[in-house]
Amino acid sequence: MNKKIAVKVDDLTVAYNYKPVLWDIDLEIPEGVLMAIVGPNGAGKSTLIKSILGILKPIAGSISIYGKPYIKQRKLVAYVPQKGSVDWDFPTTALDVVLMGTYGSLGWIKRPRQKEKKAALEALEKVGMLSLKNRQISQLSGGQQQRIFLARALVQNASIYFMDEPFQGVDATTEIAIINILKELRKAGKTVIVVHHDLQTVPEYFDWVTFLNVKKIATGPVKDIFNDENLTKTYGINYKVSIQE
Amino acid sequence: MDLQEYISLVFSDYTLRTITFGTAILGAVTGMLGSFAVLRKESLLGDAISHAALPGIAIAFLITGIKDGNVLLIGALISGLIGTFWIRGIVAKTHLKSDTALGLILSLFFGFGMLLLTFIQKQPDANQAGLDKYLFGQAATLVESDVWMMTISTGVCLFILMLFWKEFKLLLFDKDYTKTLGFNTQLIDILITTFIVLAIVLGLQTVGVVLMSAMLLAPAAAARQWTNSLATMVFLAALFGALSGVFGTAISASQNNLSTGPIIVLVASVFVMFSFVFSPSRGLLFKQLRFIKNRRDLELHKTLAFMFHIAENHKNISHPHAIKILNNFQGYTRKTLQKLVKKNYVTLHGNMWSLTDEGFKTASNLYNQQSRHE
């Protein structure tokens, strides 16, 4: 493979208390893939991306984004947290949340101006939410909230996107809209890493996959490694998934 | 004393003026910062901080031997901060949840503070009396320098708030995301917390340890009911807080022997109750009204849909049917039928009803919408 490595994880170990959540993870994510991270509950999927993003401090190991630590490359990276991680009753509007995506490039103190606002409106349009831009965020449906989060990441105009279960609790229309945007990002040469739950849709949505269950089970192209053997290793039971040809 | 007389007295009488301005500024700054505490779901933190400040007051007195307000405030500030960061430490480092940590620190510091107060009272020193006024506060002891102190602190607080507005908002909404954007969340956290502690400590002399947390929460809780914008919420909370101070002082000044602190808190609670009931979007009253209206509409729609079903099977949609057949339908009441007639969806001829064209059209739209949702 002659592609550049976008994200490299070496010997990563993370623990909240005593029990490790991630154990000795080595992972290379090539540039330009649309990758799913799959594994059972408590496998450390969210923990893995939070560690890569510097939200959690690992016990051991190192992480690099295009060869440098996260903090130096943060402008290349955008993050879509789990929808449930914030309080949607917070007093703010859809547009305001999307504008938050510009805060990183603005830095301390500087306020968003016309240019940032224009970018935010464009992102809202991309996710089909422009008409709801002034809506209070608690009055949005689950799918709409997820689109807002996606728009906030799109505004960051990054090279690598990390998304924590973007399809959780969204309607079918939103799921299709989101996956289309993700595929567009890949087409534009971006790297997209998604924590994903629905194994049925993995072959249809993604071209790369990482199996995770505290340890890394396997990583590679979906067509080569998305098979019953790896699924059984990851989920512990005799797993059969019917892959649609 | 009528209103005009009172207002002129506020500007002419030194004591009344000092107390009015003092409580107004105090209400504004606690309301402003209280919005942050409420949105961070740290409502109880205020209670813990104010109780944690008590031993600081006592120790400051024991060390310096003077009862100067500002010296005691510094003591309160230090012990309030220690208590707060201790709570944070417990939550971060142990399995204990924040309510347990808050309760622990609150009672530990308060108990220690009370112990020191009784110790001080046993001292053979004429100067010792009056420290216990910090328990329930005594607005009458406010002097001009206290008000200046509050004004300057509020000014600094407002300046920092406006300077880091964007960062504060981001942190309040989504802490993890704030971190990924490269902001030092710990620094923002410490800034917010320190200002909350400062606001509480400033109010101890006036409102007291026991009631102080109400000053932090009540204006913010009331303000949240009226707006969906953070800036407006902070502004309204400051306004409600200031008004609580002004009205509270007025009531206590016009009624002899009523202490100011509790009345300010009661006035703030009136703001809360009024807001909870009468806010147009979130208030209980309008919520209930909307609920009733929706129910009625739904009843109407259900009946209309039922009629549509029957009418659909006939070539002529205006074919009359006996009212009797509606009796088997659950959503039907005579009242809904009358309403449908009033809306011109249905016409009545004796015991027979028939759909109008308009009714048929509305019902078919309704029906399509319902089935699309399923």
Side-chain angles (χ1 to χ4, degrees):
Chain A
M1 178 143 272
N2 52 10
K3 268 185 176 170
K4 272 203 280 187
I5 299 301
V7 181
K8 193 166 187 295
V9 177
D10 284 310
D11 304 325
L12 179 74
T13 297
V14 182
Y16 289 118
N17 292 308
Y18 308 104
K19 228 175 117 198
V21 184
L22 290 173
W23 183 255
D24 205 18
I25 307 282
D26 290 307
L27 183 63
E28 285 183 354
I29 305 171
E31 184 179 51
V33 296
L34 177 46
M35 183 181 98
I37 301 176
V38 298
N41 288 333
K45 305 183 293 290
S46 297
T47 307
L48 176 62
I49 62 174
K50 281 185 180 172
S51 306
I52 295 174
L53 292 162
I55 297 168
L56 294 173
K57 227 179 129 198
I59 286 180
S62 68
I63 291 148
S64 64
I65 310 283
Y66 284 117
K68 285 182 194 154
Y70 175 81
I71 199 69
K72 287 201 173 140
Q73 305 279 48
R74 65 176 173 82
K75 288 189 180 171
L76 299 177
V77 180
Y79 173 46
V80 179
Q82 270 186 35
K83 189 159 56 67
S85 67
V86 302
D87 174 15
W88 288 94
D89 196 35
F90 191 82
T92 193
T93 61
L95 175 62
D96 226 22
V97 172
V98 178
L99 265 177
M100 288 177 186
T102 66
Y103 287 9
S105 60
L106 282 169
W108 288 89
I109 298 171
K110 260 194 268 171
R111 301 287 176 88
R113 289 173 183 277
Q114 226 40 47
K115 185 182 133 214
E116 281 78 21
K117 204 167 166 195
K118 209 179 129 224
L121 289 173
E122 276 169 18
L124 274 169
E125 181 156 35
K126 233 178 254 173
V127 299
M129 291 282 294
L130 194 58
S131 57
L132 298 177
K133 65 178 196 288
N134 292 324
R135 190 68 74 84
Q136 148 71 14
I137 53 172
S138 67
Q139 284 158 13
L140 299 170
S141 72
Q144 289 166 339
Q145 290 172 345
Q146 192 66 59
R147 287 174 192 230
I148 292 295
F149 257 17
L150 181 61
R152 185 176 71 170
L154 291 176
V155 163
Q156 288 180 257
N157 201 13
S159 307
I160 309 173
Y161 290 81
F162 288 91
M163 309 195 179
D164 205 341
E165 303 205 18
F167 302 114
Q168 197 184 42
V170 306
D171 51 290
T173 331
T174 301
E175 178 152 345
I176 293 164
I178 292 178
I179 194 63
N180 284 339
I181 290 170
L182 300 194
K183 285 179 174 169
E184 251 171 57
L185 287 173
R186 177 182 53 187
K187 222 181 267 168
K190 320 267 187 183
T191 311
V192 185
I193 295 136
V194 180
V195 171
H196 194 58
H197 249 308
D198 182 10
L199 293 170
Q200 301 292 336
T201 53
V202 170
E204 186 190 334
Y205 290 174
F206 301 94
D207 58 10
W208 210 264
V209 65
T210 293
F211 289 95
L212 191 72
N213 191 354
V214 184
K215 294 177 190 173
K216 185 192 76 183
I217 311 292
T219 182
V222 170
K223 60 176 173 12
D224 298 339
I225 69 158
F226 193 72
N227 51 36
D228 290 348
E229 189 199 336
N230 280 327
L231 283 163
T232 306
K233 267 196 216 163
T234 309
Y235 288 85
I237 43 171
N238 199 6
Y239 218 100
K240 288 250 187 292
V241 77
S242 51
I243 299 170
Q244 293 110 357
E245 292 298 324
Chain B
M1 174 161 43
D2 66 13
L3 194 64
Q4 213 171 2
E5 217 177 308
Y6 178 77
I7 291 172
S8 68
L9 201 61
V10 167
F11 287 98
S12 59
D13 182 82
Y14 171 82
T15 314
L16 193 57
R17 186 180 59 208
T18 311
I19 297 175
T20 305
F21 279 106
T23 50
I25 291 167
L26 176 71
V29 71
T30 49
M32 206 158 74
L33 291 163
S35 308
F36 287 0
V38 167
L39 290 175
R40 273 155 70 100
K41 314 232 177 326
E42 284 184 341
S43 305
L44 284 172
L45 187 67
D47 215 15
I49 294 171
S50 63
H51 284 77
L54 191 63
I57 293 171
I59 292 171
F61 175 76
L62 281 174
I63 293 174
T64 62
I66 43 175
K67 228 167 50 192
D68 173 60
N70 290 343
V71 172
L72 299 185
L73 281 193
I74 291 172
L77 187 65
I78 293 171
S79 90
L81 281 171
I82 293 174
T84 311
F85 287 103
W86 204 345
I87 292 168
R88 285 279 160 80
I90 291 176
V91 175
K93 295 268 166 6
T94 70
H95 287 289
L96 294 177
K97 297 279 178 289
S98 69
D99 55 340
T100 317
L102 285 168
L104 269 176
I105 294 300
L106 184 152
S107 29
L108 177 69
F109 275 64
F110 189 61
F112 184 50
M114 289 303 288
L115 186 82
L116 288 174
L117 279 192
T118 41
F119 173 74
I120 289 169
Q121 259 151 21
K122 295 234 166 74
Q123 296 288 299
D125 184 345
N127 200 16
Q128 98 285 47
L131 273 191
D132 53 343
K133 74 170 189 233
Y134 280 94
L135 281 180
F136 298 106
Q138 201 172 349
T141 58
L142 279 177
V143 291
E144 211 173 288
S145 68
D146 296 329
V147 178
W148 276 116
M149 179 80 184
M150 284 179 187
T151 312
I152 293 166
S153 311
T154 307
V156 172
C157 178
L158 199 63
F159 176 73
I160 298 285
L161 192 70
M162 297 214 288
L163 196 63
F164 297 112
W165 178 257
K166 172 176 117 248
E167 287 77 12
F168 284 160
K169 180 153 111 180
L170 188 61
L171 182 83
L172 287 176
F173 179 61
D174 195 343
K175 190 173 178 179
D176 280 356
Y177 187 70
T178 311
K179 235 180 196 173
T180 68
L181 292 184
F183 292 103
N184 185 340
T185 50
Q186 232 170 349
L187 186 71
I188 311 172
D189 225 18
I190 289 174
L191 263 178
I192 295 182
T193 310
T194 307
F195 276 114
I196 291 176
V197 175
L198 183 70
I200 286 172
V201 165
L202 282 172
L204 289 182
Q205 191 185 351
T206 315
V207 179
V209 163
V210 179
L211 289 175
M212 197 50 219
S213 71
M215 287 298 290
L216 201 66
L217 305 182
R224 181 67 189 94
Q225 294 297 105
W226 297 99
T227 176
N228 282 325
S229 138
L230 180 62
T232 317
M233 177 180 167
V234 172
F235 173 76
L236 278 180
L239 184 71
F240 291 161
L243 289 177
S244 305
V246 172
F247 291 148
T249 307
I251 294 170
S252 111
S254 53
Q255 313 289 326
N256 276 339
N257 292 330
L258 283 183
S259 61
T260 317
I263 294 184
I264 294 176
V265 169
L266 284 178
V267 173
S269 316
V270 171
F271 275 112
V272 174
M273 274 187 272
F274 183 82
S275 306
F276 274 14
V277 176
F278 294 106
S279 145
S281 61
R282 300 166 72 97
L284 295 173
L285 180 69
F286 290 97
K287 235 183 204 168
Q288 191 60 32
L289 287 180
R290 268 197 301 274
F291 178 73
I292 293 170
K293 187 183 175 300
N294 283 344
R295 260 197 96 91
R296 287 213 183 119
D297 283 354
L298 218 56
E299 258 170 35
L300 221 62
H301 291 164
K302 277 294 253 195
T303 310
L304 193 63
F306 182 70
M307 292 170 145
F308 172 77
H309 235 356
I310 299 168
E312 234 182 358
N313 299 328
H314 294 267
K315 264 203 182 127
N316 176 12
I317 53 159
S318 299
H319 182 87
H321 301 275
I323 286 179
K324 248 198 286 182
I325 56 170
L326 289 177
N327 286 338
N328 295 327
F329 173 61
Q330 277 199 334
Y332 164 74
T333 58
R334 199 153 280 279
K335 240 190 189 160
T336 54
L337 190 65
Q338 276 157 5
K339 267 189 204 146
L340 287 171
V341 172
K342 230 184 253 166
K343 287 195 171 200
N344 211 12
Y345 290 164
V346 176
T347 51
L348 271 184
H349 295 288
N351 271 340
M352 307 292 270
W353 61 265
S354 56
L355 273 180
T356 62
D357 279 343
E358 207 185 330
F360 186 81
K361 229 164 71 192
T362 313
S364 71
N365 281 337
L366 219 60
Y367 198 69
N368 284 338
Q369 269 170 25
Q370 294 306 330
S371 50
R372 222 182 302 139
H373 276 297
E374 271 160 25

